[in-house]
Each structure stands twice: as structure tokens, then as C-alpha cells.
């Protein structure tokens, strides 16, 4: 294919050594401005700090610095008001802003790029941007955790069946189930705050790859930008995208958790379970079946998990086998990161809004816990307390359950005489043990499902949350 001519001359920023203009298609193909303009405000933030530092070390004089700073402020206003004219010809957010600065303040604008490269600039922008976004995500995690803890506290006495293999296993309290969700999200929160530490390191000063010959002071720039420290190695600083991968890994695990919660919400709202009610504002109807109320929000969150996993694999593959230092490949880091952020924020907002509105259908949960012989283990534990070996007790209870199934009644519905056919150890006190209330109350240790334990665990979770935020 012969190069298609462009109407423009070579790119001003780097066209000096070129003999012909860039192919028009290549210009569009290599441009990133359509998506990286999302970094604009953070690009300006980085430039303000860079110019301030350059003046402090004497590379710019104060007049030059002031012209640059007020020019950048003006550009920030143009962007915020939606007046800035983005040009694909200027390739990316960095060169768009720099060109506009020179338009506005003349040749002094061309001094801003002294001692830096787009390679350290873009790495800095993404980190500044992601750091702000992480703080928003952390706020949403806090809101979701608070909602789960409050609901768990309210539902500490509500009995429901607990499941293994999705078969009724033992009774648990709904509050206990909600605190299990809270534990998952608390770990995600911890992972996010840990990831933030590695985001908060400053690449600026690495320049293209080897550092710069100007007498820059990277500690000053780092402090101005609120970074923990300057990145240790210039080659690593411009090529490292671990932090984006880590964030996406955090997001993948979070979405995996939200998808599990979603799955349970979908099951529980079905007519077959009917354990909870989700308010109409979180559901939609069917255009053909008038009776339908569909749990679209949890379904959609469950579905969105897939795209976030995709972004994680995408970013890992993007970085695989890349030689040091910067490569153009890295331009592909932004869209998956942005989409991961948008997806995570949307899913968390939906969940944090929805959780406090979950209404437990207590009678339905209780009724379901009464079926499926959920207190069979309690009967076995009772026999052990009376002196049976656990394996023998297990066999005795197995026979009792088989009898119950044949006679279509729950263990608690059998007469004392019926129960005693299976073991002489069984006495009248067995009926306290076979109730659902007795069963959950007996699991009265840290991490257990007893209502008192759930209330205590909710309080600990509240304290932990207050300590971490
Ligand atoms: N748009 C580029 C990116 O996102 C900015 C850095 C470009 N550096 C370069 N040497 N071409 O990665």
C-alpha cells in the first residue's frame, strides 16, 4: 500500500528528522487522544508540579514559570468548560495540551518539556488519575460494607437454611450470611489500599528512559504531587504498569465476589426460594410476561464480571515479554484500565444502594430451614454428648432421616418414641436441640452463627471499618 499523503506537514513535536509527513491513516492509528484526554486534568497537575520544580532549581526563571502556570490554568478552564479543541493530528493528550500552551503564551510554552519525556509524563498521569479513582472506589467499598454490617445486625436473629452443594445443610442466621459477604468485601478493600501504595510512586524525572542532564529535584516534584517517593530506577519507572495490573486484579476478585452475591440474590428472589424482596426500583419487567419482576441489577453485575476478567488478561498479555524500557505497546494500557474503573464504580454503586433495601422474607426463610433435615447434625452432636462415638451417632441419625423421609415428617416432628427406636440415649431434652433456634444458638463461638455472635461480629466489623478509613 502506498502511503496516503496528508495535507499537513510533519508533526511539530518530533518531525525534525522526518522527510515526509506521516501517512494519514498511521496518524489516526497511532493517536490516543480520543481516549487519553480523560487524563487531561492530571496531565496539567503533573505539568504544574514539573514547572514549579524547574523554577526552584533554576532551569526556568520565575517569569517563565508564572507564564506557564497561568497558561496551564487557562487550559484547565477550557477543558472543564468543554471548549478545548482536541486534535488527532497532535496525537495524544500531552501534545495537545503542550501545543495549546504554546499557542497561548508563546515560545515559553516550549520550555515546559525541559527535563521530561512523554514516557515519564504518561506514567505519572496514569498514577495520579488512578490514585484519585482508587479513593472514590474505596469510598464506595466503605458504603457497601456499612450497608452489609447494618443489615446483618438487623437480621442477626433471622433463621435461614445454610447450604453446601446448594443442598440444605444446617440452619444459619441471615445476619451471619451477610457478614460472610462483608468479609469478602473487607479483603477487597484491604487489597485496594495495598495496591494504592504502589500506585503512589512517582516516575517523573526518568525522562525517556535514562534520566535527564538537568539539575532536577525529584523529591520536590514528588512532594508537590503528594507521591510517597520518586521511583527508584528510571528504566523501570517508564515501563512499569504493574500497578494497573494490580488494580485490575483487585477489581477481578471484587467482581468475582459481587457475582457470587448476585447469584444468591437472583436465586433468593425466585418464586422457588422467595427468601428476599428487592424493591421495584432495582428490578425491571418483561415486555411480554406481565407478571415478571426481574433482578436485572444483580444479573448485570454477574455479567460484567467477565469483561473485567478480560481486562486483567488483556493487561497481563500487554506487558508479557516487553523489553525495557518504554514501548508504544503501553499506549494500550488505558482503555482496559478506564473500562475496569467504570465497571467497578457502577457495580459498587448499584450494590451499595441496593443492599440496605434488601427485605428478608423471614417466614419463608424459616420454613425452608425447617425442611431438609437441617438439624440432623445437632442430633448427632446430642448423641455424642450422651456418650456415643461420632461415627455411630452419624449412622443413627442417617437411619432416623431415612425414617423421616418415609413418613414425610421432619426430625422435630417425630414423637419421642419414634426417635428412641434409633437410640436409647435419646431423652425428652432432644426437642430443644432439634429446634432451629436451639441449633443456631448452640454455635456460640467466635465466627459462629449464633445471634449473639453475629451482633458481636457486626460490632467488630464496624470498628475495623472505622479504623481502616
Ligand atoms: N500516548 C503515549 C502512551 O500512551 C504517550 C507516550 C508516548 N511516548 C512515545 N515515546 N511515543 O503511551
Amino acid at each position: 500500500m502506498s502511503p496516503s499523503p496528508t495535507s499537513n506537514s510533519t508533526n511539530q513535536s518530533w518531525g525534525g528528522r522526518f522527510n515526509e509527513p506521516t501517512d494519514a491513516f498511521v496518524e489516526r492509528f497511532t493517536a490516543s487522544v480520543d481516549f487519553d484526554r480523560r487524563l487531561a486534568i492530571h496531565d496539567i497537575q503533573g505539568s504544574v508540579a514539573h514547572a514549579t520544580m524547574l523554577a526552584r532549581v533554576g532551569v526556568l526563571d520565575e517569569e517563565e514559570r508564572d507564564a506557564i502556570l497561568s497558561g496551564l490554568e487557562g487550559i484547565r478552564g477550557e477543558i472543564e468548560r468543554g471548549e478545548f479543541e482536541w486534535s488527532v493530528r497532535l496525537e495524544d493528550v500531552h501534545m495537545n495540551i503542550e501545543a495549546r500552551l504554546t499557542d497561548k503564551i508563546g515560545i515559553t510554552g516550549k520550555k515546559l518539556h525541559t527535563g521530561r519525556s512523554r514516557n515519564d509524563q504518561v506514567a505519572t498521569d496514569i498514577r495520579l488519575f488512578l490514585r484519585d479513582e482508587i479513593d472514590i472506589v474505596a469510598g464506595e467499598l466503605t458504603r457497601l460494607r456499612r450497608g452489609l454490617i447494618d443489615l446483618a445486625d438487623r437480621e442477626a436473629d433471622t433463621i435461614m437454611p445454610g447450604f453446601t452443594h446448594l443442598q440444605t445443610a444446617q440452619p444459619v442466621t441471615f445476619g451471619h450470611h451477610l457478614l460472610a459477604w462483608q468479609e469478602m468485601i473487607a479483603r477487597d478493600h484491604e487489597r485496594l489500599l495495598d495496591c494504592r501504595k504502589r500506585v503512589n510512586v512517582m516516575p517523573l524525572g526518568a525522562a525517556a528512559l535514562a534520566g535527564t542532564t538537568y539539575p532536577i529535584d525529584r523529591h520536590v516534584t514528588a512532594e508537590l504531587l503528594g507521591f510517597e517517593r520518586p521511583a527508584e530506577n528510571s528504566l523501570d519507572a517508564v515501563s512499569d504498569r504493574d500497578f494497573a495490573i494490580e488494580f485490575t486484579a483487585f477489581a477481578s476478585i471484587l467482581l468475582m465476589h459481587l457475582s457470587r452475591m448476585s447469584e444468591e440474590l437472583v436465586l433468593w428472589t425466585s418464586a422457588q426460594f422467595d427468601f428476599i424482596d428487592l424493591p421495584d426500583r432495582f428490578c425491571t419487567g418483561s415486555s411480554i410476561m406481565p407478571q415478571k419482576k426481574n433482578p436485572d441489577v444483580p444479573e448485570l453485575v454477574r455479567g460484567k464480571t467477565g469483561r473485567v476478567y478480560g481486562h486483567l488478561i488483556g493487561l497481563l498479555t500487554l506487558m508479557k515479554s516487553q523489553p525495557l524500557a518504554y514501548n508504544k505497546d503501553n499506549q494500550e494500557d488505558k482503555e482496559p484500565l478506564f473500562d475496569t474503573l467504570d465497571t467497578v464504580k457502577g457495580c459498587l454503586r448499584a450494590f451499595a444502594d441496593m443492599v440496605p433495601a434488601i427485605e428478608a422474607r423471614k417466614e419463608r426463610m424459616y420454613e425452608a430451614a425447617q425442611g431438609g433435615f437441617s438439624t440432623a447434625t445437632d442430633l448427632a452432636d446430642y448423641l455424642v454428648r450422651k456418650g456415643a462415638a461420632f461415627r455411630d451417632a452419624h449412622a443413627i441419625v442417617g437411619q432416623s432421616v431415612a425414617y423421616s423421609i418415609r413418613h414425610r415428617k421432619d426430625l422435630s416432628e417425630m414423637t419421642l418414641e419414634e426417635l428412641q427406636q434409633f437410640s436409647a440415649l435419646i431423652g425428652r431434652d432432644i426437642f430443644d436441640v432439634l429446634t432451629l433456634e436451639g441449633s443456631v444458638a448452640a454455635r456460640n463461638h467466635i465466627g459462629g452463627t449464633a445471634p449473639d455472635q453475629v451482633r458481636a461480629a457486626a460490632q467488630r466489623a464496624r470498628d475495623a471499618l472505622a479504623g481502616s478509613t
Side-chain angles (χ1 to χ4, degrees):
M1 198 175 71
S2 62
S4 39
T6 85
S7 53
N8 313 307
S9 55
T10 51
N11 187 300
Q12 287 182 1
S13 310
W14 42 251
R17 59 100 76 210
F18 284 74
N19 294 320
E20 61 172 356
T22 315
D23 177 87
F25 168 71
V26 170
E27 192 172 82
R28 285 196 308 280
F29 184 68
T30 53
S32 54
V33 66
D34 284 345
F35 50 87
D36 67 15
R37 46 194 268 199
R38 190 161 167 179
L39 299 172
I41 297 303
H42 296 92
D43 190 72
I44 291 174
Q45 185 188 359
S47 291
V48 166
H50 181 64
T52 306
M53 180 279 290
L54 287 181
R56 238 187 255 180
V57 299
V59 172
L60 292 177
D61 65 34
E62 291 189 0
E63 215 173 298
E64 290 168 331
R65 176 199 60 199
D66 293 346
I68 288 174
L69 296 191
S70 71
L72 288 170
E73 277 318 311
I75 293 172
R76 189 204 304 270
E78 290 171 10
I79 292 169
E80 282 169 353
R81 289 191 301 276
E83 290 164 13
F84 193 92
E85 277 178 38
W86 297 101
S87 159
V88 173
R89 278 207 54 230
L90 291 166
E91 194 176 323
D92 57 25
V93 60
H94 323 292
M95 293 201 290
N96 267 268
I97 292 177
E98 197 188 315
R100 179 73 187 122
L101 182 67
T102 304
D103 272 0
K104 279 171 89 79
I105 68 167
I107 52 158
T108 306
K110 297 186 180 180
K111 295 194 173 183
L112 171 62
H113 212 52
T114 314
R116 84 176 177 186
S117 145
R118 280 183 295 152
N119 297 352
D120 58 345
Q121 187 179 358
V122 69
T124 303
D125 291 3
I126 308 172
R127 286 168 182 268
L128 288 171
F129 164 81
L130 183 57
R131 190 178 68 187
D132 281 351
E133 294 286 317
I134 283 176
D135 293 342
I136 296 171
V137 172
E140 287 294 76
L141 287 170
T142 300
R143 203 158 70 85
L144 173 56
R145 288 175 66 188
R146 220 175 263 142
L148 287 169
I149 297 167
D150 290 348
L151 187 60
D153 212 3
R154 287 206 296 284
E155 303 292 347
D157 293 293
T158 306
I159 292 175
M160 68 182 288
F163 300 91
T164 60
H165 313 266
L166 201 58
Q167 311 290 317
T168 299
Q170 292 171 354
V172 294
T173 50
F174 185 38
H176 194 54
H177 196 112
L178 292 164
L179 286 182
W181 288 359
Q182 199 286 135
E183 285 298 311
M184 301 177 192
I185 304 300
R187 288 193 296 274
D188 292 324
H189 199 164
E190 212 175 287
R191 264 186 285 277
L192 179 68
L193 298 181
D194 198 59
C195 164
R196 191 186 190 282
K197 294 181 202 158
R198 282 173 295 280
V199 171
N200 202 22
V201 174
M202 187 190 71
L204 265 188
L209 77 164
T212 176
T213 55
Y214 297 95
I216 57 170
D217 187 337
R218 299 184 69 212
H219 289 288
V220 168
T221 329
E223 206 189 307
L224 289 170
L225 292 171
F227 280 117
E228 189 60 38
R229 59 181 173 85
E232 204 48 56
N233 179 291
S234 65
L235 293 167
D236 180 51
V238 290
S239 76
D240 171 29
R241 295 294 182 274
D242 294 4
F243 61 94
I245 295 175
E246 274 192 55
F247 178 82
T248 312
F250 143 80
S252 296
I253 300 176
L254 168 67
L255 265 286
M256 178 270 287
H257 289 147
L258 294 181
S259 79
R260 296 181 65 184
M261 292 158 63
S262 296
E263 175 74 4
E264 294 189 320
L265 292 174
V266 170
L267 284 171
W268 293 348
T269 49
S270 70
Q272 288 67 29
F273 275 82
D274 196 24
F275 281 6
I276 59 160
D277 195 36
L278 282 182
D280 290 357
R281 63 183 183 280
F282 298 107
C283 301
T284 63
S286 157
S287 53
I288 175 167
M289 297 167 285
Q291 85 284 9
K292 289 299 285 290
K293 173 172 158 183
N294 297 327
D296 288 46
V297 169
E299 288 175 86
L300 197 53
V301 170
R302 191 175 59 184
K304 283 185 186 288
T305 307
R307 67 199 275 164
V308 172
Y309 289 4
H311 293 323
L312 175 60
I313 295 297
L315 285 173
L316 282 166
T317 312
L318 173 68
M319 296 312 294
K320 177 183 177 295
S321 314
Q322 265 199 49
L324 287 171
Y326 176 85
N327 300 282
K328 183 76 168 179
D329 311 41
N330 285 6
Q331 185 164 291
E332 287 287 307
D333 61 356
K334 289 162 206 67
E335 286 161 295
L337 182 63
F338 293 163
D339 189 66
T340 299
L341 271 164
D342 292 338
T343 306
V344 161
K345 287 195 292 185
C347 293
L348 277 176
R349 179 181 171 164
F351 254 81
D353 287 350
M354 189 172 61
V355 160
I358 293 174
E359 274 174 47
R361 291 198 189 281
K362 298 183 209 280
E363 330 68 53
R364 275 290 307 138
M365 289 181 168
Y366 194 87
E367 221 177 283
Q370 278 174 323
F373 309 101
S374 65
T375 56
T377 316
D378 298 273
L379 176 55
D381 290 345
Y382 170 90
L383 292 167
V384 169
R385 282 198 299 278
K386 298 273 167 158
F390 183 78
R391 277 292 151 228
D392 294 336
H394 190 286
I396 293 167
V397 178
Q399 289 154 16
S400 319
V401 167
Y403 176 92
S404 298
I405 293 170
R406 277 200 308 280
H407 293 83
R408 296 176 179 281
K409 41 176 139 175
D410 186 60
L411 292 173
S412 60
E413 290 164 345
M414 292 211 265
T415 64
L416 183 60
E417 293 67 37
E418 277 178 301
L419 284 166
Q420 282 174 335
Q421 313 167 63
F422 304 102
S423 169
L425 294 173
I426 297 177
R428 191 156 289 287
D429 55 348
I430 185 62
F431 293 106
D432 302 331
V433 167
L434 294 182
T435 65
L436 298 176
E437 289 79 1
S439 173
V440 293
R443 287 164 170 79
N444 189 20
H445 51 76
I446 193 162
T449 194
D452 286 346
Q453 291 295 337
V454 170
R455 276 183 281 268
Q459 191 49 51
R460 284 195 303 277
R462 229 175 243 130
D463 295 344
L465 187 54
S468 75
T469 51

